[in-house]
Each structure stands twice: as C-alpha cells, then as structure tokens.
Amino acid sequence: MEHVPALDEDLKKTLGPATAKVLAEQLGLHTALDLLHHYPRKYAERGELTALTELADQLDEHVTVVAQVADARILTFNGGRGKRLEVTITDGNGRLQLVFFGAGVHKPHKELLPGTRAMFAGKVGMFNRKLQLSHPAYEPLGADASDQDAASAFAGRLIPIYPACAKLESWKIAKCVDAVLPSAQETVDPLPPALREGRGLVPLTEALLKIHRPATKADVEDARQRLKWDEAFVLQVALARRRRADSQLPAVPRRPAPGGLLDAFDAKLPFTLTEGQQTVSKEIFDDLATDHPMHRLLQGEVGSGKTMVALRAMLAVVDCGGQAAMLAPTEVLAQQHHRSITEMMGELAEGGMLGGSDQGTKVVLLTGSMGMPARRKALLDLVTGEAGIVIGTHALIEDKVQFHDLGLVVVDEQHRFGVEQRDALRSKGKQPPHLLVMTATPIPRTVAMTVFGDLETSVLDQLPAGRSPIATHVVPAKDKPHFLARAWERVREEVGKGHQAYVVCPRIGNGDEEAADPKKKSAEADGDKRPPLAVLEIADELRGGPLAGLSVEVLHGRMDPADKDDVMRRFAAGEVKVLVATTVIEVGVNVPNSTVMVIMDADRFGVSQLHQLRGRVGRGSAPGLCLLVSEMHEASPARARLAAVAATLDGFELSRIDLEQRREGDVLGQAQSGVRSSLRMLAVIEDEEVIAQAREEATRVVAEDPELERLPGLKLALDALLDTEREQYLEKG
C-alpha cells in the first residue's frame, strides 16, 4: 500500500506552528489524520438554540453555546475609571451573563448588539450566585456584511461543536478541520468491501465528510454507524489475531492424576462446591487437558469462591508434575492468599516436611520485602520443583526467579497488571504455561469482549452456601450528624457480639500527600472542599471518642510490610477489633468474623470499588452491614451513586451503572496506549450489538486471512491502532 503523505503530514505545514502546537499539546492531535478523527461531540442547529439551562452542571468547564443577545450595557466602577460590559444572552429557555472588562469592552460592545446570534465559548464561572462567562470568545452567526463568511459557512447546516480547549475554541477547530478535509479523499478504507456492503455502511471518505459537515441529522447517523464499525472491527481484529497466535503455541497438557493431590484435597473439603464452581472447574480442566495454552478469564462476584476454583486448577497441574504460580497485585493480598491456601490445604501444603502428607507439595510465598534467607530458600524450592505452588507479587517476574516446570499462571485482579507483566511470568515456562486470569470486578459482556477479547470467559455468579446477606445504608453525615453517631454505636454493638469492623478512608494522612501535591491542596482550599478524610486522623478520633476502649489499629500502603502482616494476622485472629484502612483491603482480604464496614467519604470512591470493599463483610454466618458515610447533598450525583450501591448487591448491574457514569477511556484502563484513544465514537455499553457483530466478523476474517494480505486497508488501520509491539501487549483495563 502506497504511503499517503497528506494524511501523515504534520499539522504545522497546513495550519502553521502556533495552531499546530496548541492542537498537539492540548488535544493530542499531530497529523491531518488525527484531526479528521477528532469528531464533533454534538451539533447545534441554526433554528434551535443550545440549552443554557444545562450549564449549572458544567461549572469550571469550557463550553460552547449558541444563543442570541438579549441586552448589553456598559457599567462603570472605581469612580468612572473602570468599565465593565455586561451582555445577557438567551436561548428562549435560559439566560446567561457574559462580562468583559477594561479595554476589552469596546469591540464586543459594537458587535454584540441585541438580536445578534453568535457562538460563545468560555469557562463557566459563578459570580453573585449567577452563572457567567468571563471574556468569552465569540463568533457571530449574523447576516450583515462583516459576518458574511461565518453566515455562509454555517447557512442551513448543522453547526459542529468540537471538543475544545481554552486556547482553541470549537469554531477555530472547525476551520482547522476545513483545511484538512480535502485529504479525507486519500483515506484507505479498512473494512472489507463485502462486509461494508453487506451491512449497508457508507464508505469511509463519505463518513468523514458527513461527520464533520453534515447537511442533515441522517448524515450524522450514517457517519456514526460507519465510524463505530471501524473502531469495533479494527480492535476486534487485533484481539482475534492475538487469540489465533496464542492458539498456535504448544503447551503441555495437564490432566489431574486419579487418586492424586486434587482428589485428596476434594476429599477433605468440609463443604460441597457450588454448581457454578463445578461448571467453571470443568471448563478450566478441559482447557488444561489440551496441547495449546489455556487463556481464560474467570470473573466472579465478590466472595463467589474464585480462589477455590483457582486452587483446584493449581492442584491439578501439580498432580501431573507441573508447578503453578499465582500473581497478586499487593503484598497484603499475596500474604492473605498464601495464608488461606495453606489453611485450606492443611497437611497437603507441607509436602516433604515433617507431618506433611505424602501426596502433598510445598506452597511458598515470594514478595519483594522478604528477608534474604527466606527468599533464597523460596527460590531454591522453585528451581528444584520442591514447591508446586508459589504465591507472590511482582517479585515473581524478576530474572532471578526460575521454575522447574511452570505449568499454570494465575493472575489475580487482572486490572492491576498489564499484559507485559503477565507475559513476563509466562515466559518462565519451558513451554508456554496455561493462563487463568481472575477478577472480582464484574464486567459487562461487551467490556469483556473489548478489553479481554483475547481470553475465553467464565462467570461465577453464585455465592457459596452459608454466605450472609449484606445490608447497605447511606449515612448523610452533614444533614443528619446523629446518623453518624448511630453508625459508631452499631460498630460497638457488633464488637460487643464478638465480631469485628473495618473503617475505610480515602487517604493515609500525616500531610504526606498534601506536601507531595501542593497544587491539589490549594485547589481544594480554593474550592472550599476539604481534603478527603485520612486513616491516621480518623483512627485517633475513634480511639479518643466513639470507639474508646476498643482495640483500633491502622493498615495502609506506606507501612513496613512486616508491620502490615502483623496487623492483618492479629485482625484475622480477632485480637484487633476495628481496622482503619485505605483500599489496601479492597480485594482478597478474608476475615469471616468481620460483620460491619464504615466507608468514610464514600462519594470519593467509584461504584465498583465500593462494591469490592463491601464484599469484605458478610463472609461468615452472621449478616453483614455496610455504611456509606457522605457529606454530599441529597440531590447530588454523588449521592445518587451511593444510593445505587445501597440498592443492589448485583455487581454486574453496578458495573453497568459505573460504566455509564465514567468516560469510555477510563473503562479501558490507563495504559491502553493505542486502544484508549481509538474509541472516540464507540460506547462499549450502548453499542453492544456492533461489538458482538464486529467480533464475529473479525474472527472470520482472521481465520480466512491471518496476515490480512488480501486486506491492505485493514492492515494499515491495524498498524495505526497498534504498532507490532502494542498489538503483542494489548493493555488490559
């Protein structure tokens, strides 16, 4: 495919260095092609003015509005020395004030006469309890001689409103787009012609012209459908190619030995596996028995017994002479997994040790903070094969770590790891090991197809018998302070019954974060918003106040690992009654005797995170209680989020709500280098059908033409989405 210079050309050549610099720095747009894919976020109609009533939700944001001047007047102050121009604009429903000061009043005073219609762009501010735009940029849409150009450009058309920035308003971006729009003719269509025609999609060139300069709403719809397909299809092709490449790799089949370690473990289980656990285990054992590597995502509700399923898979691999490694995101979680797995296995976890079972194996822990002698011993057990199971943090990935025969890698809480890390661990096998990825964050089907598209998916949505329900309530601390007092009474009551409690705060405290980020502190001070509540301060308040006399300890990420482990051990043993912690306890921490959790400043956490935290209580036979403390006003969106969490225990429902409230980029994770920016048009929740169909088409196309030799346009689009390295390491969110 011939290189097309116009599309790859730096915008400096077309738009000049000053404008190109702003587009690059503020909006990440460097080439003509980037600018063509910077789509309008909405359209204003000539005959229909943009609603000003929606601006209250956009305080401190840059907005573009289309409205008509109602009146304009110059006021003087400072004894006539200062001048201020106040302009009131209206759209028929709402009114908004514009203000201009000093020498800047004369030009707008001449141009913004009553009846003038224009586009206005600026930052929404508040003065005397009224919304206003201060010194907004504006572009008249009138029909007088001086505005002929603007009027003819927009006459009879939908006005595109672009995602803009303070230094470049929407209509200036529109003019930049006009400069590169002719090069849309040079774009190479990535969709196979048969697919495009079969689905009734317009050609790419036409879609780009229609999205930027539509004549009708139908044009916009045609363009959107086509551009959504591009994004979904190219991404699914990248994932289908990765699935295919993985399926070509050789692997050692791992079938559990009859009468071996797995059977011995199952025989000593004091309960029956749920139907879900049995079904998912069968899917995993079937995958392990094949001669190419398993790539499976196991997603399950908080407390659905994923660790049990993963442990049985690890035992099956150890049964036939292999080793299994479990990668956890934090030391607290790695230690917790090590403790709970050795407890579940009993003497089976003491292979080769006095009192251990003949069928047993060694289960070792490997973390960065371990002392040298313990670390040396663990490394030796791994290289000799003495240890069948290792549980560790990123320390497992280091070069020094060698395995005798790595057969299975289990990655816990996958969203904390990139593919580079999981692949670095997999590379330690003589042949590619099988892979099981686990997450307790329920993922809607379309997100699983988009983010984890290279993995087969298993879902555990059944809770084990004996799990107790969790009641969740919002505690409005500002409106009803007595509710907070009652929350602490409930904690004392639970402790009085012999149970334990968590108190979660968003921050550690001691001024470290503020010192590290003075801008953040001053912004909060300016906005009159206090800093988030902190573990160290709340723990002191509780010890000296509502929970005086109870053993209250803290747990957070800045503590020495040995101290963290000591606190967790004493909490698990019931010696510590109240644990005040950060989100370090969010995943994997399992203390069945904990029945109540109080989350301070709950509005500072995301919906899925609150659901994760809540899953730490109600893990035993006593019912759980989760109290979401917030000072936000009842009518605020933050309180609506908390009410949603309180209303359901269904993690899939909550993850949907969470996704609808967050930007698409966040959904796909922080480090999705090409992928994150590629989803400009596709919405993973709304466009379920497009994603599902694109996945089918992509799988078929890759099966027929794995190297895409017959589809040069698609290959080009794939290279633009992901260079070869990025395709190999498609980041997971």
Side-chain angles (χ1 to χ4, degrees), residues 115-349:
T116 303
R117 295 170 67 188
M119 287 197 285
F120 301 92
K123 192 175 179 183
V124 182
M126 180 80 82
F127 182 70
N128 280 345
R129 299 197 170 184
K130 280 188 180 171
L131 293 174
Q132 67 170 29
L133 297 184
S134 181
H135 275 282
Y138 59 89
E139 177 88 342
L141 299 177
D144 62 67
S146 65
D147 293 328
Q148 273 301 301
D149 291 348
S152 57
F154 294 110
R157 293 209 165 213
L158 294 166
I159 303 166
I161 308 291
Y162 287 91
C165 59
K167 293 182 179 173
L168 212 59
E169 296 83 17
S170 170
W171 56 84
K172 288 185 182 165
I173 293 173
K175 287 174 180 171
C176 295
V177 170
D178 283 338
V180 299
L181 211 46
S183 64
Q185 304 292 341
E186 308 293 328
T187 53
V188 181
D189 203 319
L191 293 191
L195 187 160
R196 185 171 59 70
E197 286 154 21
R199 302 248 168 218
L201 299 167
V202 300
L204 178 58
T205 296
E206 187 181 329
L208 289 170
L209 293 171
K210 282 183 168 178
I211 200 77
H212 289 292
R213 299 295 172 261
T216 63
K217 285 181 179 174
D219 281 356
V220 175
E221 198 40 49
D222 285 352
R224 280 196 169 146
Q225 272 310 104
R226 164 61 214 247
L227 295 167
K228 279 179 181 182
W229 254 94
D230 278 20
E231 289 176 10
F233 181 69
V234 175
L235 179 53
Q236 291 300 336
V237 166
L239 292 164
R241 288 185 77 191
R242 177 161 178 145
R243 282 197 302 277
R244 188 179 183 282
D246 283 341
S247 71
Q248 307 291 305
L249 296 170
V252 178
R254 310 278 178 173
R255 297 181 184 88
L261 183 56
L262 178 62
D263 284 352
F265 175 75
D266 284 349
K268 66 193 283 296
L269 275 181
F271 52 81
T272 313
L273 296 176
T274 65
E275 201 180 315
Q277 285 175 316
Q278 289 172 19
T279 305
V280 169
S281 289
K282 184 182 183 313
E283 291 172 348
I284 291 170
F285 290 149
D286 287 351
D287 283 357
L288 289 174
T290 61
D291 54 11
H292 58 81
M294 165 172 80
H295 291 94
R296 190 165 283 279
L297 167 69
L298 170 56
Q299 53 167 321
E301 273 290 12
V302 179
S304 57
K306 291 182 301 301
T307 309
M308 173 61 71
V309 169
L311 175 56
R312 293 183 73 247
M314 292 196 283
L315 295 175
V317 169
V318 175
D319 247 353
C320 46
Q323 291 169 293
M326 181 185 257
L327 182 62
T330 64
E331 293 213 352
V332 167
L333 188 50
Q335 288 160 345
Q336 176 77 30
H337 276 318
H338 183 252
R339 252 199 307 277
S340 62
I341 283 173
T342 48
E343 278 167 20
M344 281 194 270
M345 287 176 65
E347 74 280 1
L348 296 174

Side-chain angles (χ1 to χ4, degrees), residues 286-526:
D286 287 351
D287 283 357
L288 289 174
T290 61
D291 54 11
H292 58 81
M294 165 172 80
H295 291 94
R296 190 165 283 279
L297 167 69
L298 170 56
Q299 53 167 321
E301 273 290 12
V302 179
S304 57
K306 291 182 301 301
T307 309
M308 173 61 71
V309 169
L311 175 56
R312 293 183 73 247
M314 292 196 283
L315 295 175
V317 169
V318 175
D319 247 353
C320 46
Q323 291 169 293
M326 181 185 257
L327 182 62
T330 64
E331 293 213 352
V332 167
L333 188 50
Q335 288 160 345
Q336 176 77 30
H337 276 318
H338 183 252
R339 252 199 307 277
S340 62
I341 283 173
T342 48
E343 278 167 20
M344 281 194 270
M345 287 176 65
E347 74 280 1
L348 296 174
E350 296 165 359
M353 294 154 76
L354 202 60
S357 164
D358 293 343
Q359 291 169 305
T361 187
K362 224 183 230 185
V363 179
V364 300
L365 176 70
L366 188 66
T367 65
S369 67
M370 281 168 73
M372 226 33 230
R375 191 180 173 77
R376 251 191 229 112
K377 180 80 179 81
L379 291 172
L380 189 64
D381 285 342
L382 287 179
V383 79
T384 59
E386 188 93 358
I389 295 176
V390 59
I391 295 147
T393 54
H394 293 76
L396 284 175
I397 297 167
E398 290 168 13
D399 292 343
K400 289 183 199 133
V401 181
Q402 301 295 323
F403 289 85
H404 177 65
D405 179 15
L406 181 60
L408 171 66
V409 171
V410 178
V411 182
D412 195 20
E413 287 311 313
Q414 165 64 24
H415 63 281
R416 309 280 188 96
F417 295 103
V419 173
E420 290 96 331
Q421 291 157 317
R422 84 179 190 200
D423 281 2
L425 182 52
R426 284 169 67 199
S427 69
K428 293 180 181 292
K430 289 172 183 149
Q431 279 199 323
H434 298 280
L435 173 73
L436 180 65
V437 164
M438 300 198 297
T439 177
T441 306
I443 305 164
R445 176 170 160 262
T446 43
V447 183
M449 281 192 289
T450 310
V451 184
F452 294 103
D454 61 335
L455 302 169
E456 298 302 321
T457 305
S458 295
V459 178
L460 267 182
D461 50 11
Q462 222 180 340
L463 290 186
R467 271 298 161 87
S468 303
I470 305 168
T472 309
H473 302 285
V474 178
V475 177
K478 206 167 192 174
D479 309 343
K480 299 176 179 172
H482 58 287
F483 275 36
L484 183 57
R486 176 70 188 120
W488 301 127
E489 281 172 24
R490 283 292 288 115
V491 171
R492 290 196 86 98
E493 286 165 16
E494 287 299 308
V495 172
K497 292 178 195 168
H499 298 307
Q500 291 157 276
Y502 296 102
V503 178
V504 180
C505 302
R507 207 165 53 94
I508 297 170
N510 258 5
D512 285 27
E513 293 103 325
E514 292 91 333
D517 196 351
K519 275 194 295 196
K520 190 172 170 187
K521 190 175 182 185
S522 63
E524 277 167 344
D526 290 349

